[in-house]
Each structure stands twice: as C-alpha cells, then as structure tokens.
C-alpha cells in the first residue's frame, strides 16, 4: 500500500527559512531508515508557495493564480511517498518522523493512502490507465 506523508507548511517554511543542520541530520537519518527498510518511494521538500501557482477551474474556465497563498495551514512544505504493507505500518513510520520544523516547534504531518487502480469501476478508461501505469513502471526499470 502506498501512502503520502504530507508535511504541512508553517510561516517559516512559507518565508523560505531553511531547516537547521541539526534538523537536516535528523531527517536524513529517518530517510536512510525508510530506504534501508525498502519503504521509501520518493521524498522532497517544496519551495514556498510564493514561487508557485495554481490553476483554478470554474465555470468551464481556467485561471492561473500566482502564489503566495494566504492559508499556510492548507499548504504543503514537503512529502514522503512510502510503500508499506498496511495502514498500521504507515502509522508506525509516521510516528517516527522528526518534528518537521525543529524540536518544540508546531508542525503537522498528514498521512493519506493512494488509490489503487483496483479502487475504480471497471471500464475502458480504467483499462487505459492500467496500461499507462504498466508502461510507466517499465520505463522506471
């Protein structure tokens, strides 16, 4: 089962404040443990929303909205994608994450499972999606 562990942004991450060497060390140790366990699929820290944009869909139209975005608690500062056997194993890994903004600082990590192709109603579009997934997997090897 794949899960995304999402680090919610805070005012410091949105201001572009980089983590301390101590926090980078703690995160690197955690990331190494995930990798050694064979659970790590991908991970990244994200730049502040001021460097990004959104595409808003409304009434059949698309509008580009440049960052920064006001609601910090709704923004993502970074993520891990893990592949584990169960929700319980994902919870175990999430409970080991170092405090994302440093010891004693408030932070939130949201953990959500990915949909599998088997979650969707069978049909032509799902068959095409399966083929695309298989092709992508072959290209990664």
């Amino acid at each position: 089962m794949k899960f995304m562990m999402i680090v919610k942004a805070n005012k410091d991450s949105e201001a572009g404040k980089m983590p301390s060497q101590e926090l980078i060390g703690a995160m690197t140790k955690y990331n190494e443990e995930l990798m050694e366990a064979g659970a790590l699929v991908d991970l990244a820290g994200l730049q502040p929303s001021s460097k990004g944009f959104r595409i808003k869909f409304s009434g059949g139209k698309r509008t580009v909205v440049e960052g920064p975005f006001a609601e910090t608690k709704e923004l993502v500062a970074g993520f891990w994608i893990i592949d584990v056997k169960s929700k319980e194993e994902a919870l175990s890994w999430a409970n080991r994450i170092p405090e994302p903004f440093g010891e004693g600082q408030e932070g939130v990590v949201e953990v959500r499972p990915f949909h599998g192709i088997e979650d969707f109603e069978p049909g032509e579009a799902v068959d095409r999606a399966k083929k695309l997934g298989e092709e992508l997997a072959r290209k990664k090897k």
Side-chain angles (χ1 to χ4, degrees):
M1 298 179 71
K2 285 186 183 174
F3 288 83
M4 180 176 275
M5 302 188 299
I6 305 160
V7 178
K8 296 295 191 152
N10 71 5
K11 64 179 175 47
D12 288 341
S13 65
E14 275 299 289
K17 182 178 177 187
M18 298 302 282
S20 68
Q21 289 297 310
E22 179 181 57
L23 181 54
I24 292 170
M27 287 293 185
T28 300
K29 181 178 184 289
Y30 175 74
N31 296 339
E32 289 168 343
E33 291 170 359
L34 273 171
M35 191 165 56
E36 288 169 9
L40 184 62
V41 175
D42 201 357
L43 71 148
L46 301 176
Q47 293 193 22
S49 68
S50 61
K51 302 211 176 176
F53 58 89
R54 291 178 175 167
I55 306 296
K56 181 180 176 187
F57 299 85
S58 180
K61 295 182 181 181
R62 299 167 191 243
T63 306
V64 176
V65 181
E66 295 286 338
F69 307 116
E71 280 298 316
T72 302
K73 67 183 179 183
E74 300 300 324
L75 300 175
V76 177
F79 66 90
W80 292 268
I81 297 174
I82 59 172
D83 194 354
V84 295
K85 291 180 177 67
S86 65
K87 181 179 179 180
E88 292 74 24
E89 188 177 351
L91 175 60
S92 175
W93 279 110
N95 272 324
R96 295 170 56 189
I97 296 171
E99 294 179 68
F101 300 109
E103 193 171 325
Q105 301 296 312
E106 282 195 33
V108 174
V109 175
E110 180 179 328
V111 181
R112 296 181 46 194
F114 279 57
H115 273 296
I117 197 70
E118 66 280 356
D119 295 333
F120 297 93
E121 293 279 333
E124 183 182 333
V126 170
D127 291 342
R128 286 179 36 222
K130 281 181 187 176
K131 286 180 185 174
L132 181 64
E134 291 164 0
E135 185 178 334
L136 182 59
R138 279 194 303 276
K139 286 185 177 187
K140 286 184 177 181
K141 290 181 179 183

